[in-house]
Amino acid sequence: MYKEEQFRNKIIYYSFILSIFVVGIHAYNVERYHLAGKEDWFSRLVLLVENMVRGWADICVPFFFIISGYLFFRTFELGKIRDKYKSRLRTVVIPYIAWCTIYYIYYCLITNIEVLHQYLGNIQVVPFEIRTWIKWIWVEQYYTLWFLKGLIVLIFLAPIIYFVLRKYCFVPTGIFVLIFILLCEMEILPFDCGYINIYYFVGAYIGINHKDIPKIRNRKLIYIAVVILIIAGGIILAGGRLNPFMILISCFALWEITNYIEYNRQPRWYIHISFFIYCTHDLLLEALEGVFFLVFGYGSIFALLDYVFMPLVVVGICILISFVLKKYLNAIWCILSGGRG
């Protein structure tokens, strides 16, 4: 079994790696470079590579939800709900409002400056006004921040989630709730669960009822994990997308297959900035990819270079920005990172 420090180190490393893959999701450029319409072998190869990486990257955000649900509920007590809300106000709500505001101002500027707006296609002009800002925060938030808005709703519903998922008289009634939500998300049952996210609920269920299970290491389970990942890889290689059930068990398989690592080494400071990378990356990626495309054009080789190297460049810039903020503007860093790192 992992010691608590090892377990926390593993969470930090996982979060950082997942954030890099999230950047890779948004670096997907098949449409921009018209790769699907090209017949040469190299373009087909680039298309295959991007689709395979994207298929695996589909696991990242669900994994974030599982981790978030687990971490919130592993220490949850109804008597301390006020402290939980206060903590998440600082780590989730305030950063969400700050990042929505940053993206709002950014789009106000680029859509109201004619020289820039002409390169944005059919994007509507965003007006400078309080009403639009408030609407931007809750109704039309920048699309990469949907994860945080969903998380805020789920945090607000924490007492209800706790009562629904906890065991009663040793009967795991929450299992039936998880099965119902999973069937809804797989569109087997004709119900819309909205923000009730199966991945967050699974993490919450484990945190409430089996908080020590993620710390347990069992080498025998690695063989099962390998089989699951081979099946998932076969689905992706065949051009398919993983359904919610396959994503769920693939998350557990990935967790299990890395359980032999000790995680004794303390993560370096930049490994802690996964939240900052998640919130920052798309603004940088959008701008850099746009410049790259204007300079080099439609070639498939440039599509591959764009897809492989731009995420690395963006993560490097995020690390540089976070270093400057932490060192010289620490108050701003604490707001934007939610006090992380």
Side-chain angles (χ1 to χ4, degrees), residues 23-43:
V23 181
I25 292 174
H26 295 135
Y28 187 76
N29 56 29
V30 167
E31 291 84 6
R32 171 177 284 178
Y33 287 90
H34 305 299
L35 293 176
K38 296 180 179 179
E39 299 296 331
D40 61 285
W41 70 269
F42 186 78
S43 296

Side-chain angles (χ1 to χ4, degrees), residues 306-325:
D306 179 347
Y307 188 68
V308 172
F309 291 108
M310 278 302 168
L312 300 178
V313 172
V314 167
V315 171
I317 294 175
C318 286
I319 291 173
L320 179 61
I321 293 173
S322 65
F323 174 80
V324 173
L325 289 176

Side-chain angles (χ1 to χ4, degrees), residues 188-234:
I188 294 175
L189 294 180
F191 298 98
D192 183 4
C193 292
Y195 278 120
I196 301 178
N197 184 286
I198 181 60
Y199 310 108
Y200 185 87
F201 265 53
V202 168
Y205 179 83
I206 297 170
I208 294 168
N209 302 292
H210 306 285
K211 63 182 67 179
D212 288 329
I213 281 183
K215 293 183 179 182
I216 296 173
R217 295 188 286 185
N218 187 338
R219 288 185 177 272
K220 294 179 181 178
L221 293 178
I222 291 178
Y223 301 108
I224 299 175
V226 169
V227 171
I228 291 172
L229 295 178
I230 289 173
I231 294 172

Side-chain angles (χ1 to χ4, degrees), residues 101-118:
T101 303
I102 289 171
Y103 278 107
Y104 169 70
I105 294 173
Y106 169 73
Y107 268 87
C108 282
L109 291 173
I110 65 174
T111 59
N112 282 279
I113 298 175
E114 187 61 33
V115 177
L116 298 176
H117 190 212
Q118 62 181 332

